[in-house]
Amino acid sequence: MEGVVIRSTGSWYQVRTATGIVSCTIRGKFRLDGRVATNPVVIGDHVTLSMNEDGTGLITDIGERHNKLTRRAAGRRVGREHVIVANVDAAWVVQSVQEPKFNGGLVDRFLVMAEAWEIPAGIIINKADLIDERSEDAMDFWSETYRDLGYPVLFTSTRTGVGIPELRDQLANHIHVIVGPSGVGKSSLINALEPLADLRTGEVSERTRKGKHTTTFAELIPLGNGGYVADTPGLREYGLVDIGPAELSHRFVEMRENLHECRYPDCTHDHEPGCRIKEMVEAGEIVEERYESYLNILHSIHMGDKDVGR
């Protein structure tokens, strides 16, 4: 029997098959075959399973993934990969206007990994009802920056309903994943899109101004318009996997078409003379904040990604 993994709790997996949903475990060999990933089976995986007498299943094979959204695993073990979801049509990073504040560094790291797997990506800026005189200019700046780069940007509010119909249209008839820090309102957004989901939500910590984890496992949630959205646990950080210094600039869309114009073919766009990318920054053709984000990520790669940018 074949199916798609729609929920992963770490030890049990819910698999949607042609005859219904089956609770499954996995063969021990998947955890012992030398994989560098923390999780051998993830939501979105196409799997083969055999049925047990009690109605549960055993996943015996995992199909080839045409893409995956991944990050470095927590615990700072070099090279350890945590796959968030597999076989998606698009990925969205959620930020909030305030509580917690917008984090451009995390957005850029997310976009780098999406570009690496050629996954169409977009940005959702939630809690639009909190925009005030202090935050309005910043939100205009970030939204214009990413839209100019070709990334869709949606402003949403689960309190007022702003942007929810537009987001619902974007998620129709495809498999999407949304990721972001705890507290930005991912679960609340999914509840607004699909009230039957009834996901648990939490508040932002008054002490740290960061979100409290409410989603503890990954799940593919069906939407009424034919789409699926993956709800995932909140991220404190977004460490990169398998991105080297020479590859990084190719994942910044505003840089890659001009890389051949640098004096040196192995230019890192940091200290080298004759760098076309630095010239573009000075001329205002590349947004300075994006270039600074690039340099921060480059530094973290050189440092073994010990500084993963929160």
Side-chain angles (χ1 to χ4, degrees), residues 136-165:
E136 185 174 10
D137 288 345
M139 292 302 99
D140 287 343
F141 168 79
W142 288 115
S143 60
E144 290 175 9
T145 294
Y146 290 113
R147 283 172 178 154
D148 287 346
L149 295 174
Y151 297 109
V153 179
L154 297 178
F155 281 89
T156 59
S157 170
T158 56
R159 290 183 178 179
T160 67
V162 167
I164 301 301

Side-chain angles (χ1 to χ4, degrees), residues 72 84 103 160 177 191 193-194 217 284:
R72 207 186 67 156
I84 298 171
N103 184 340
T160 67
V177 58
N191 284 339
L193 293 166
E194 182 52 69
F217 54 83

Side-chain angles (χ1 to χ4, degrees), residues 202-216:
E203 300 296 331
V204 172
S205 167
E206 290 294 332
R207 181 177 63 85
T208 65
R209 308 312 301 164
K210 296 180 179 179
K212 302 175 183 178
H213 288 285
T214 52
T215 300
T216 58

Side-chain angles (χ1 to χ4, degrees), residues 103-116:
N103 184 340
L106 188 147
V107 171
D108 291 334
R109 285 171 170 270
F110 164 86
L111 294 176
V112 165
M113 291 311 302
E115 291 289 339

Side-chain angles (χ1 to χ4, degrees), residues 74-107:
R76 304 183 184 276
R77 288 174 290 180
V78 175
R80 197 72 167 168
E81 175 188 41
H82 180 78
V83 182
I84 298 171
V85 64
N87 305 315
V88 294
D89 298 301
W92 298 81
V93 59
V94 184
Q95 291 287 292
S96 53
V97 173
Q98 300 177 37
E99 301 177 5
K101 67 179 182 179
F102 191 97
N103 184 340
L106 188 147
V107 171

